[in-house]
Amino acid sequence: MEGSGKKAILAGTVPGCPYPAPASSYCEGSTYKRIDALTYRARMAARRPLPPPARFDAAASRARLASEEFDVVVVGGGITGCGVALDAVTRGLRTALVEAADLASGTSSRSSKFVHGGLRYLHQRELGLVSEALTERQTLLRNAPHLVRPLPFCVPLFGREGVVAEGIARAYSTALWLYDLSGGVRIGHRHHRTTAEDTLQHVPGLRADRLVASFVYWDAQADDARLTLAVARTAAVHGAVIATRAPATALLRRPGGRVGGVRLADGTTVRARAVVNAAGVWSEEVASLPGSPADSRVPHLRPAKGVHLAFPSHRLPCSWATVLTVPGERRTIFVAPWDAQGVDAPSAPGRYTYVGTTDSDYEGGLRSPGCDDADIDSLLATVNTWTTARLTRQDVTGSWAGLRPLLAGDHHVRSADLSRRHRVVTSTDGLVTVTGGKLTTYRRMAEDTVDALLPLLGVRRQAHRCRTGRLPLVGALAWERVPHGGPLLGHRDIHHHLVGRYGAEAGAVVGMCGADPSLAQPLVPGLPYLRAEAVWAVRREMAVSLEDVLARRTRAALLDRAATVAAAPDVARLLATELGWDERRVAEEVDAVQRSLEVGPDSRLLRKAT
């Protein structure tokens, strides 16, 4: 590192980080011989205790919003917005993020949970997109190994009398070779063909009378909401201000007419030199707020709804994710284990399998898309065509639906065939908008967005290069060295569960149980979450409602709606001691969760389950 960059390290002048700079750009004992100050400090942040909770506290964040001036304010607390905040703050920009609801409360908590290149995009000849996504997959596996785990996928080859159509097998083989060559092999595994017998060991429900063989390849899986949270918390460690329940109602103007911040619903004025619109499917709404530039150039979006259903794993056991073709359509769905490495037996109690996704145009309300009859019937029919599970609605314990912010193309094109590429546009008045994209490529989207932002601030891009390519997220460093010991971490399943959600912080979560043994009890009976996780969510993860805890800090509401609704009053009373709720507020929180889990036609799934 040369010139001014080295001087900044030596002087410790990089803004927004509470940790001391290294004495030089070299870190003794590190596998990296030369690192920048921000990466070094991120490592120190993960190795040392986290800063006080006020650094990721709702009240403290709101106070800073009103009292400070920023280089950029990001509107939207999904994975893209949090990624932009992290990229910007680690380049030395004074950064704030405002989110109308909770972090990842929209699409970023309702995806298929895959970090992947997208095998089907090869059919659309999107080789560049696949290669980019596979590169980002590897970046996530490196930067968040506790949250992003490799997962084998199989493509079953069905036929009759032990023979599969040669054209189908050849087409899949060619596609998988292209996938490997585009970067898929960098995960450490090359695709291969395996026997029907081996396939049935991992996905025993497939129709043995039709299964001839299968192809196996590797991608990765992640809890999308926790990944978003980790990105946001990492940004906060570096000095970004993260505020939830802070809906923007207008854009502000600076002298001269440029965009100069946002006004929130409570009247708070957030001053900034530029604004990034990263609101996902709400991007067009943000671009139409009072004060928005006339030439905001926000691309027209065509939201596509993706629906998933959850089942107890004994009804559809699997340790591999499986690709199934939708009968009569040029589309596939996945059958996937919720946590492939959680326990040895794929049908063990407390395990879940989920199925998805649909891919259909959507024109309803953006906040709470539901699962309609056609969505449910389509998924059940596809699974029952290729397996012996004979699933019915009574088997469904949970569901979720998310909206993909796809860039609109030809209206005659199916939503499933629309590109997953992203687009960054800049208005002459200082509003930068990022739309499109997918979970896997969030970091690249953020990098492109901040690259477009820098000229508006009069900053040379060469002097402020992206630093997130090798920046570990909170909990990533030394996560594999969390000791196996004690009444909780000595239990293999609990150790895996906590380390897979908190990484290096798992020991701190367990430590809370030492002070209060009742926190070691299950949060929702039948699910792996502990009561300590709910308290941790309030103290360290900016959870401020019952739904925050049950739907996003844990995923109980997605996996088992009936059990979650039954446990809601007890969980609310636990949170009340942390958040100062009275009995009336407890009742309101419980009622809100019950209503959120009973919205739309899919509420019948809950009523049947109960």
Side-chain angles (χ1 to χ4, degrees), residues 149-238:
R149 301 291 185 90
L151 177 68
F153 286 66
C154 83
V155 182
L157 299 176
F158 293 101
R160 296 188 182 278
E161 299 181 354
V163 178
V164 65
E166 190 61 31
I168 294 177
R170 188 182 302 114
Y172 275 123
S173 178
T174 300
L176 287 167
W177 275 114
L178 283 173
Y179 202 66
D180 282 347
L181 293 172
S182 297
V185 73
R186 282 180 289 179
I187 203 170
H189 300 273
R190 193 181 69 184
H191 86 275
H192 65 277
R193 183 165 173 165
T194 192
T195 64
E197 291 74 16
D198 183 44
T199 304
L200 290 171
Q201 289 293 317
H202 297 276
V203 195
L206 293 173
R207 288 186 56 179
D209 61 324
R210 298 280 304 276
L211 184 65
V212 177
S214 71
F215 286 108
V216 179
Y217 69 100
W218 287 72
D219 262 318
Q221 186 182 46
D223 183 330
D224 48 7
R226 292 208 64 82
L227 178 60
T228 303
L229 177 65
V231 175
R233 291 183 65 207
T234 307
V237 165
H238 284 277

Side-chain angles (χ1 to χ4, degrees), residues 232-565:
R233 291 183 65 207
T234 307
V237 165
H238 284 277
V241 178
I242 310 294
T244 60
R245 271 71 182 191
T249 57
L251 300 188
L252 305 178
R253 294 290 182 145
R254 300 172 69 88
R258 290 175 61 87
V259 172
V262 298
R263 179 176 292 110
L264 305 182
D266 65 358
T268 300
T269 296
V270 185
R271 297 167 295 161
R273 298 169 60 197
V275 175
V276 170
N277 175 5
V281 291
W282 291 273
S283 293
E284 291 178 285
E285 291 186 8
V286 171
S288 63
L289 291 176
S292 296
D295 68 335
S296 58
R297 305 176 185 173
V298 175
H300 180 57
L301 298 180
R302 184 174 159 188
K305 185 174 69 170
V307 170
H308 302 77
L309 304 178
F311 306 87
S313 61
H314 73 270
R315 292 293 291 120
L316 191 61
C318 63
S319 57
W320 289 351
T322 306
V323 183
L324 299 178
T325 302
V326 179
E329 297 187 31
R330 294 181 295 108
R331 190 171 62 81
T332 57
I333 67 168
F334 293 97
V335 175
W338 179 261
D339 183 358
Q341 301 175 0
V343 289
D344 293 326
S347 59
R351 290 288 306 283
Y352 289 83
T353 299
Y354 65 98
V355 174
T357 176
T358 60
D359 201 326
S360 56
D361 285 310
Y362 181 76
E363 297 180 352
L366 299 179
R367 180 55 61 184
S368 299
C371 312
D372 58 32
D373 289 335
D375 299 323
I376 298 168
D377 292 342
S378 172
L379 292 174
L380 292 177
T382 299
V383 172
N384 289 334
T385 296
W386 303 115
T387 75
T388 58
R390 297 183 181 178
L391 297 176
T392 68
R393 292 177 180 238
Q394 281 73 20
D395 294 308
V396 180
T397 57
S399 65
W400 65 94
L403 299 178
R404 305 179 188 89
L406 302 183
L407 299 174
D410 187 339
H411 70 279
H412 295 295
V413 175
R414 300 182 312 157
S415 62
D417 294 329
L418 290 177
S419 175
R420 267 55 177 177
R421 289 188 179 275
H422 65 275
R423 185 177 175 189
V424 179
V425 296
T426 305
S427 74
T428 57
D429 292 345
L431 176 66
V432 178
T433 299
V434 54
T435 54
K438 50 187 279 188
L439 176 72
T440 306
T441 58
Y442 85 88
R443 194 205 64 84
R444 178 59 184 272
M445 295 169 65
E447 179 180 351
D448 291 348
T449 302
V450 179
D451 282 348
L453 173 69
L454 292 179
L456 296 176
L457 303 177
V459 175
R460 293 177 60 248
R461 186 181 304 171
Q462 291 77 5
H464 290 74
R465 295 185 182 277
C466 176
R467 301 176 183 272
T468 58
R470 289 187 175 272
L471 183 67
L473 299 185
V474 164
L477 291 177
W479 69 277
E480 73 278 15
R481 295 201 291 270
V482 174
H484 291 72
L488 286 178
L489 289 178
H491 193 287
R492 178 187 178 276
D493 294 346
I494 295 177
H495 183 279
H496 170 85
H497 167 76
L498 293 177
V499 172
R501 288 170 51 76
Y502 303 97
E505 295 181 315
V509 177
V510 171
M512 297 169 58
C513 301
D516 182 355
S518 70
L519 296 181
Q521 297 301 311
L523 183 69
V524 177
L527 294 175
Y529 309 108
L530 305 180
R531 290 169 65 85
E533 296 182 68
V535 176
W536 177 270
V538 172
R539 294 180 183 177
R540 307 305 288 269
E541 297 178 345
M542 208 182 285
V544 296
S545 76
L546 181 61
E547 184 178 352
D548 290 352
V549 170
L550 293 176
R552 288 174 290 277
R553 304 304 185 273
T554 73
R555 312 316 301 275
L558 274 63
L559 296 175
D560 195 328
R561 290 185 169 201
T564 300
V565 167

Side-chain angles (χ1 to χ4, degrees), residues 572-573 575-577 579-589:
R573 286 189 289 271
L575 300 185
T577 61
L579 294 168
W581 295 344
D582 58 19
E583 286 299 321
R584 179 178 178 181
R585 177 65 183 272
V586 167
E588 291 173 348
E589 291 288 330

